């Protein structure tokens, strides 16, 4: 089978930059896994505020609900406070305090949030976001989780936020020691910004995709000094994707004017 001139040129360019076919296919796999992202995993330290500066953000799109699952932690939900229910409803798969259903059996392990048309509720200010506080009980004792619930765009980014204990094998595998141990936070952010441009040049991602916006939010947080692991969890991207962006950023220099804002 004859190889076209364009294919030969592309192959030579990839080899000369140290970015071989294996890396291309690997990158495509990583970006494909991120879009669409149906399940977003957040560790207990992040969701309880132990390693995050602000509550985990959950965005609700019109016509789509989002589940918050505590099943991986083995905890049950005891009580919830939903500060502003004027644009969203809250339900659970069992009984708990705060929703008018207190009981001793069938304790809740999953919460369900659903966006609704905004209501005028006396005494409540009109806002686009609110705080959801969840009190749980489990083998490790009682915990308090905090989530910032906000109105999102038309396209739902995920349908489930899964709270995962730090000690599980999956979280350990996906959360290696700080990625900033060698380079400074600023250098990392610049490298990942270049990586995003390279990914666009390789047609691994498009500017109009939901993933692009999530990566941009992640980069803004990192440039502001937020730890990479925390920024990734809040923005809804995996550390595997973060590492791929760093690798792509090393492949070739990108002019500053081409870097994403």
């Amino acid at each position: 089978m004859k190889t076209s001139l364009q294919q030969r040129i592309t192959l030579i360019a990839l080899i000369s930059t140290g970015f071989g076919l294996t890396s291309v296919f690997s990158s495509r796999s990583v970006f494909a896994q991120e879009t669409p992202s149906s399940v977003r995993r957040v560790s207990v330290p992040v969701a309880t505020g132990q390693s995050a500066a602000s509550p985990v953000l959950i965005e609700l799109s019109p016509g789509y609900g989002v589940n918050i699952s505590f099943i991986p932690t083995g905890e049950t939900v005891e009580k919830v406070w939903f500060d502003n229910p004027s644009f969203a409803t809250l339900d659970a798969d069992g009984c708990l305090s705060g929703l008018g259903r207190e009981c001793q059996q069938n304790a809740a392990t999953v919460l369900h949030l659903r966006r609704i048309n905004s209501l005028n509720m006396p005494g409540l200010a009109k806002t686009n976001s609110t705080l959801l506080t969840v009190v749980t009980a489990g083998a490790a004792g009682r915990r308090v989780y905090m989530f910032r619930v906000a109105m999102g765009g038309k396209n739902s980014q995920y349908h489930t936020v899964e709270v995962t204990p730090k000690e599980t094998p999956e979280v350990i595998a996906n959360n290696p020691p700080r990625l900033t141990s060698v380079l400074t936070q600023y250098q990392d952010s610049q490298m990942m910004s270049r990586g995003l441009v390279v990914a666009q040049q390789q047609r691994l991602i498009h500017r109009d995709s939901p993933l692009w916006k999530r990566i941009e939010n992640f980069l803004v947080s990192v440039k502001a000094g937020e730890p990479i692991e925390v920024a990734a969890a809040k923005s809804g991207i995996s550390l595997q994707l973060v590492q791929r962006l760093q690798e792509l950023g090393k492949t070739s220099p990108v002019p500053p004017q081409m870097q994403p804002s």
Side-chain angles (χ1 to χ4, degrees), residues 5-203:
L5 178 60
Q6 181 62 41
Q7 289 176 323
R8 291 180 181 178
I9 294 175
T10 302
L11 179 60
I12 293 173
L14 289 172
I15 294 176
S16 64
T17 58
F19 190 58
L21 293 178
T22 300
S23 297
V24 173
F25 293 135
S26 176
S27 294
R28 292 190 186 281
S29 175
V30 170
F31 279 86
Q33 290 172 7
E34 295 287 331
T35 308
S37 177
S38 59
V39 178
R40 175 185 172 191
R41 292 178 175 85
V42 179
S43 68
V44 169
V46 171
T48 55
Q50 298 177 40
S51 60
S54 58
V56 173
L57 173 64
I58 298 178
E59 294 182 298
L60 301 179
S61 299
Y64 294 91
V66 173
N67 303 304
I68 305 177
S69 174
F70 295 90
I71 294 176
T73 67
E75 298 171 302
T76 58
V77 180
E78 288 189 336
K79 189 176 182 64
V80 296
W81 290 284
F82 196 37
D83 292 346
N84 191 344
S86 64
F87 66 89
T89 62
L90 174 64
D91 200 358
D93 66 335
C95 298
L96 71 162
S97 301
L99 290 183
R101 299 197 304 255
E102 297 187 35
C103 57
Q104 301 299 322
Q105 297 179 344
N106 299 324
T109 56
V110 179
L111 301 177
H112 182 76
L113 291 163
R114 185 177 61 176
R115 172 104 170 253
I116 61 174
N117 292 328
S118 296
L119 304 174
N120 290 322
M121 304 184 72
L124 290 180
K126 291 185 178 180
T127 62
N128 294 327
S129 66
T130 189
L131 182 68
L132 170 64
T133 304
V134 183
V135 180
T136 66
R142 304 179 75 206
R143 289 192 176 113
V144 177
Y145 295 90
M146 292 166 291
F147 304 91
R148 185 166 72 89
V149 181
M151 296 182 183
K154 294 182 179 180
N155 297 321
S156 179
Q157 298 179 2
Y158 43 82
H159 60 61
T160 299
V161 175
E162 195 173 68
V163 182
T164 312
K166 182 175 61 176
E167 64 272 11
T168 59
E170 180 180 1
V171 172
I172 292 175
N174 291 329
N175 290 268
R178 283 295 304 271
L179 300 175
T180 55
S181 58
V182 178
L183 299 175
T184 65
Q185 190 87 355
Y186 178 79
Q187 289 174 323
D188 267 347
S189 68
Q190 293 300 303
M191 183 182 300
M192 290 182 289
S193 294
R194 293 197 302 270
L196 180 57
V197 175
V198 172
Q200 182 190 23
Q201 293 171 344
Q202 296 293 333
R203 297 183 180 180

